[in-house]
């Protein structure tokens, strides 16, 4: 599959759009269907696509293992961090009203960062799982 | 009875999934059954949230009737939890395949019993 | 920001935060420090909440400042604060123990992940206990379950994997049943908040979905708490998991499930629905008795020490559920007291067993093979490890229910509850099943104290890092056997609160 | 959809089973759109038909693709499944009718979400991230748990086999 010219060209063309679509889904979540989880999945799918066409090694260079593992944790920390920020600013845990002088604006800000946290963790986990399963097959060479 | 048609479909799907989980010995097939079982539960939540003439809960001035957003939120969470469970189950299944050399439940039990017998024989 | 006002949130969030930090640092020692700090902070929070709940009756906390039926509420009553204390307290003792224990049982590069999983499991269990929202229970149940599956699978033996897989399948079926039950309740009441749900359920009390919900929730939770015929996942999981994990799970996981059952039965459905419309108490009585006798009987014939006590756990859960079926304050008190006392006792036993594993791993082949604790290998153990063996005997006496130990208090309150309902034959049954406990504890005593050691080997006690936390819990079983003001006091208040709410 | 599941239960070729479960998820997603649950449909399509299928195929690659013939007649599971079905139908028949606007879920709690007090048009996002944001934190933690758990489970081999995976 790695040497198929058509795939490589189409892949090169499509992958930026997939990633862009992920970003769109992320930020448009307030107005249309979508949000952090879907965006994270689509973003990860884009990179998995890249790995399938250009090989796992190149994908790992673009998004290295250590970064992926950090993403896992960073997303949860970001989400919980928003919650703690609410605490520190005098509200309850996960209180977005206090994040800005204008409570409605504070809500929007909170939702934005929270969704970002979800996207980061989901994307990290999807990639990590893919790397894990993919790299395992190389050595032991199962069927199919 | 018409009013409950969606529930009947849901029930049949659920039970089919549950049956696959309990009756089949193949670890991967069990997981597929488990995800069918979980997926069908989504219908139980979502279907009653629908209103005839309503629209998706994305507010816009031209609509006044929306389906209930709360079940959607719950099921979004449930889907994510479901796939996380599936992924973890598959990882365990892969490890079992590597250490036991099989993913059939009967063969795994047989292998464990053999080990047990060997231990008993030694003692 | 005053810390006291935000204790309910901190209770769960601190251990929850410790897990991703542990993964981020990727270092065993630092991960240990962070997760242990998280657990101790959680314990401190639990003590604070216990005091607050004692003063106010119910502590309510609105997450995100959204009022209850719309947002998620944290709700700490007497019972919740009691279970929080048990869970976070066990974690605070088991974590320092882990440090010395997993050295020998888990490869070094996995350590930070072990601590992360432990932190998540703790956060999940605390989250289940503290929340006042039905769907939130499910979410945190899954956090604790998924991390538990991983913790079990980290055991050395390959059978740990099979056990973990089996638990995953049964646990997920249980969780899905719980979701179905919550779904029915939600469709009938339109709310997810437990208190609100209970109120609105009154209007549709004996409708068919409510009854179906009760059945699904009871079956689903019974799977998680290993009620007798649904216990098949437990013995293997406890036997093959790393020692510290077994101790933590035995003390907390099934206990939290019991808590959820009590919560749904008494706080949501209420007594009329549970006890008068369905033959549930009779079924519960039957299954509890089956657990008390069958599981204890099976325990007697086990060859593996860990497995013996795993079956004993299934049997002891029978006593807890037996207390539930009385539908009285006394019965509920007995359940809650035993839930606590058995948690402490079992944790002590499994920690001490972990010490034996560690010590014998040191003697055989540098710990390369995980030693299976079959009885023939334990002959004359009391000479080599006198403190460990004595500890197991003391905790074993508590399992039997000898006066002066925590177990006696449990049995005593249970018998009082049976007498109150004039079920004299139950008193006999409780005493008779205690004889079975005598039999399986005696098996250990016989082998460890009266069988000659295979070869003349010197004293080789478990390292102090293992012995001290374990003995702390052994002393706790004696303490709670002598001074009952804390256990019975809190349990009785909790039971009164529940039954009053249920009325 | 029912067809897909029945064939799925009877087929023993695991590859076919996985493809069928993907089809099932897609049908489910379509049905969800019909029920006005667009967010859920989008997720189900991405997760059920996408991620799950890829995961299952990935795992299958490492395992054998044919299921063994069951050794014994599965009477007990069948009985248990039927009992569950009976209980479900018993409960479901008492539920409010399909699309009944007077049902409690439409009367209680949900109306406030639709008032849009925090000015986010997609109500699902608003409830998910704000009203019930804590559930979503839990959900993210579940995903994190699964990810870290898989690292813990699958990494172990690496150290044994040395550097051949690097």
């Amino acid at each position: 599959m790695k040497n198929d010219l058509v795939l490589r060209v189409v892949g090169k063309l499509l992958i930026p759009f997939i990633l862009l679509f992920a970003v769109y889904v992320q930020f448009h979540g307030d107005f249309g269907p979508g949000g952090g989880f879907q965006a994270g999945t689509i973003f990860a799918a884009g990179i998995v696509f890249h790995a399938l066409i250009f090989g796992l090694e190149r994908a790992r260079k673009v998004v290295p293992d250590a970064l992926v593992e950090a993403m896992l944790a960073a997303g949860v920390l970001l989400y919980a961090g928003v919650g703690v920020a609410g605490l520190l600013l005098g509200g309850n845990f996960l209180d977005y009203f206090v994040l800005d002088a204008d409570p409605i604006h504070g809500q929007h800000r909170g939702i934005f960062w929270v969704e970002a946290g979800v996207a980061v963790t989901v994307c990290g986990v999807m990639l990590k799982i893919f790397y894990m399963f993919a790299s395992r097959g190389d050595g032991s060479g199962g069927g199919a | 009875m018409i009013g409950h048609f969606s529930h009947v479909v849901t029930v049949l799907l659920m039970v089919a999934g549950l049956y696959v989980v309990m009756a089949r010995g193949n670890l991967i097939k069990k997981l597929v059954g488990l995800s069918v079982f979980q997926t069908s539960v989504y219908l139980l939540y979502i279907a009653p949230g629908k209103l005839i003439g309503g629209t998706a809960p994305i507010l816009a001035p031209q609509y006044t009737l929306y389906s209930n957003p709360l079940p959607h939120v719950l099921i979004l969470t449930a889907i994510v939890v479901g796939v996380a469970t599936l992924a973890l189950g598959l990882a365990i299944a892969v490890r079992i395949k590597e250490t036991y050399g099989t993913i059939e439940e009967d063969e795994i039990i047989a292998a464990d019993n053999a080990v047990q017998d060997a231990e008993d024989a030694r003692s | 920001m005053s810390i006291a006002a935000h204790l309910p949130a901190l209770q769960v969030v601190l251990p929850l935060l410790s897990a991703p930090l542990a993964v981020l640092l990727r270092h065993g020692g630092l991960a240990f420090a962070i997760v242990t700090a998280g657990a101790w902070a959680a314990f401190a929070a639990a003590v604070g909440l216990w005091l607050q709940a004692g003063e106010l009756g119910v502590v309510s906390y609105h997450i995100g400042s959204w009022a209850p039926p719309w947002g998620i509420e944290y709700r700490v009553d007497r019972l919740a604060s009691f279970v929080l204390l048990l869970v976070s307290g066990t974690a605070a003792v088991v974590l320092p123990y882990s440090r010395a224990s997993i050295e020998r049982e888990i490869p070094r590069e996995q350590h930070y992940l072990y601590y992360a999983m432990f932190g998540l499991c703790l956060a999940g269990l605390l989250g289940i206990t503290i929340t006042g929202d039905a769907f939130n229970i499910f979410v945190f149940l899954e956090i604790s379950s998924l991390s538990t599956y991983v913790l079990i699978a980290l055991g050395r033996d390959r059978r740990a994997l099979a056990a973990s897989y089996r638990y995953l399948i049964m646990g997920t079926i249980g969780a899905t049943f719980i979701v179905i039950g919550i779904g029915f309740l939600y469709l009938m009441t339109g709310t997810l908040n437990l208190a609100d749900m209970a109120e609105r359920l009154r209007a549709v009390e004996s409708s068919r979905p409510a009854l179906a919900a009760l059945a699904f929730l009871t079956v689903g939770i019974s799977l998680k708490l290993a009620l007798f015929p649904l216990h098949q996942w437990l013995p293997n999981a406890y036997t093959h998991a790393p020692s510290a994990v077994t101790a933590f799970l035995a003390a907390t996981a099934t206990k939290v499930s019991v808590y959820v059952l009590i919560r749904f039965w008494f706080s949501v459905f209420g007594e009329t629905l549970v006890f008068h419309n369905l033959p549930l108490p009779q079924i519960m009585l039957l299954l509890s008795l089956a657990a008390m006798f069958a599981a204890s009987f099976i325990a007697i014939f086990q060859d593996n020490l860990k497995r013996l006590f795993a079956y004993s756990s299934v049997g002891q859960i029978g006593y807890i559920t037996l207390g539930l079926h009385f539908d009285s304050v006394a019965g509920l008190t007995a359940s809650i007291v035993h839930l606590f006392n058995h948690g402490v006792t079992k944790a002590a036993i499994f920690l001490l067993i972990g010490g034996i594993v560690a010590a014998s791993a040191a003697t055989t082949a540098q710990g390369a093979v995980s030693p299976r604790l079959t009885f023939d290998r334990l002959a004359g153990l009391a000479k080599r490890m006198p403190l460990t063996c004595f500890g197991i005997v003391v905790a074993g006496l508590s399992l039997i229910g000898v006066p002066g130990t925590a177990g006696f208090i449990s049995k005593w309150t249970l018998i009082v509850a049976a007498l109150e309902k004039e079920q004299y034959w139950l008193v006999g049954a409780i005493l008779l099943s205690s004889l079975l406990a005598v039999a399986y504890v005696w098996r250990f005593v016989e082998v460890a104290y009266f069988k000659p050691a295979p070869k003349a080997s010197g004293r080789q006690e478990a390292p102090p890092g293992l012995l001290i936390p374990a003995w702390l819990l052994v002393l706790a079983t004696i303490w709670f056997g002598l001074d009952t003001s804390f256990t019975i006091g809190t349990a009785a208040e909790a039971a009164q609160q529940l039954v009053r709410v249920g009325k | 959809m029912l067809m897909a599941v029945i064939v799925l239960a009877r087929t023993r070729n695991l590859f076919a089973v996985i493809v069928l479960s993907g089809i099932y998820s897609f049908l489910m997603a379509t049905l969800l759109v019909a029920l006005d649950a667009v967010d859920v449909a989008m997720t189900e399509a991405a997760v059920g038909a996408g991620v799950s299928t890829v995961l299952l195929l990935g795992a299958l690659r490492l395992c054998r693709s044919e299921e063994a013939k069951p050794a014994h007649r599965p009477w007990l599971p069948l009985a248990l499944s039927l009992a569950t079905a009976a209980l479900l139908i018993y409960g479901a028949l008492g539920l409010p009718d399909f699309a009944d606007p007077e049902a409690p879920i439409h009367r209680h709690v949900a109306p406030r979400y639709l008032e849009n007090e925090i000015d986010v048009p997609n109500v699902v996002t608003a409830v998910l991230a704000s009203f019930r944001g804590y559930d979503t934190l839990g959900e993210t933690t579940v995903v994190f748990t699964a990810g870290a758990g898989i690292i813990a489970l699958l990494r172990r081999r690496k150290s044994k086999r040395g550097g051949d995976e690097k």
Side-chain angles (χ1 to χ4, degrees), chain A residues 29-81:
Chain A
D30 287 5
F31 309 102
F37 185 81
Q38 293 92 331
T41 314
I42 295 171
F43 199 89
I47 293 172
V48 168
F49 195 33
H50 183 270
L52 285 176
I53 296 172
F54 299 106
L56 192 61
E57 290 319 307
R58 277 189 59 182
R60 273 200 160 145
K61 260 188 210 119
V62 181
V63 190
D65 256 347
L67 176 66
V68 171
E69 257 182 64
M71 278 168 75
L72 284 189
V76 179
L77 284 178
L78 181 57
Y79 201 133

Side-chain angles (χ1 to χ4, degrees), chain C residues 184-185 201 204-219 261 264-265 269-286 324-327, chain D residues 87 90-91:
Chain C
F184 275 133
L185 283 178
L201 203 59
V204 286
E205 200 154 60
S206 42
S207 68
R208 295 163 71 162
L211 293 179
L214 176 59
F216 271 107
L217 282 167
T218 306
V219 174
L261 187 67
F264 272 108
W265 272 23
F269 288 105
E271 283 166 274
T272 13
L273 193 56
V274 178
F275 292 102
H276 302 306
N277 287 359
L278 287 177
L280 262 184
Q282 286 81 352
I283 296 173
M284 209 36 125
L285 171 67
L286 224 67
L324 292 184
H325 100 281
F326 288 120
D327 180 24
Chain D
L87 188 58
Y90 172 80

Side-chain angles (χ1 to χ4, degrees), chain C residues 77 198 202 266-268 270-271 496-503:
Chain C
D77 59 4
R202 296 286 162 272
F266 290 90
S267 305
V268 177
E271 283 166 274
Q496 266 154 13
Q497 207 174 27
L498 283 171
V499 174
R500 198 171 51 235
V501 168
K503 279 260 157 72

Side-chain angles (χ1 to χ4, degrees), chain A residues 65-66 69-70 72-74 76-77 80-81 84 87-88 91-97 107, chain C residues 1 5-6 9-10 13 16-17 19-21 23-24 26 61-66 112-113:
Chain A
D65 256 347
E69 257 182 64
L72 284 189
V76 179
L77 284 178
V84 175
L87 271 184
L88 293 178
N92 277 357
F93 185 72
L94 281 178
D95 189 339
Y96 308 149
F97 289 114
Q107 280 286 339
Chain C
M1 172 184 124
H6 295 291
L10 295 174
V13 172
L16 194 146
L17 272 175
L21 280 174
V23 170
L24 209 57
R26 306 187 62 159
Y61 185 85
H62 302 168
I63 290 174
S65 300
W66 292 110
Y112 77 99
L113 289 166

Side-chain angles (χ1 to χ4, degrees), chain C residues 255-381:
Chain C
K255 308 298 176 289
V256 169
S257 304
V258 174
Y259 164 83
V260 175
L261 187 67
I262 296 178
R263 179 62 67 213
F264 272 108
W265 272 23
F266 290 90
S267 305
V268 177
F269 288 105
E271 283 166 274
T272 13
L273 193 56
V274 178
F275 292 102
H276 302 306
N277 287 359
L278 287 177
L280 262 184
Q282 286 81 352
I283 296 173
M284 209 36 125
L285 171 67
L286 224 67
L287 295 180
S288 306
L289 286 175
M292 279 157 56
F293 284 96
S296 307
F297 196 68
I298 298 170
I300 298 176
F301 296 100
Q302 293 306 312
D303 251 348
N304 181 318
L305 190 61
K306 257 178 138 180
R307 219 181 161 74
L308 184 153
F309 284 114
Y311 271 106
S312 136
S313 271
V314 179
Q316 298 282 333
I317 288 165
Y319 293 109
I320 303 179
T321 47
L322 182 70
L324 292 184
H325 100 281
F326 288 120
D327 180 24
S328 68
V329 175
L332 203 52
T333 310
S335 284
I336 298 167
V337 166
H338 192 50
L339 184 148
F340 187 88
N341 285 342
H342 178 243
V344 174
T345 309
K346 258 303 151 44
I349 288 185
F350 280 119
L351 286 185
L352 289 165
I353 291 178
I356 304 178
V357 173
S360 45
T363 48
T364 58
Q366 292 86 46
V369 264
S370 82
R372 300 195 176 80
L373 293 175
T374 44
F375 272 113
D376 51 298
R377 297 187 194 196
L378 302 178
L381 190 71

Side-chain angles (χ1 to χ4, degrees), chain B residues 40-114:
Chain B
S40 54
V41 178
Y42 307 160
L43 275 184
L44 179 76
Y45 277 73
I46 300 276
K50 162 88 178 167
L51 286 175
I52 304 284
T55 178
I58 296 171
L59 303 179
Q62 64 266 40
Y63 300 115
T64 50
L65 198 58
Y66 302 97
S67 65
N68 192 333
L70 184 52
H72 299 185
V73 174
L74 303 181
I75 292 312
L76 275 177
T77 307
I79 291 178
V80 177
V81 169
V83 75
T85 313
L86 175 72
L88 197 63
L90 283 174
I92 298 177
V94 167
R95 292 263 298 141
I96 287 180
K97 162 76 182 167
E98 284 173 0
T99 50
Y100 283 87
T102 176
I103 50 166
E104 295 295 333
E105 201 174 38
D106 296 340
E107 292 170 29
I108 292 168
I109 293 171
D112 277 350
N113 288 342

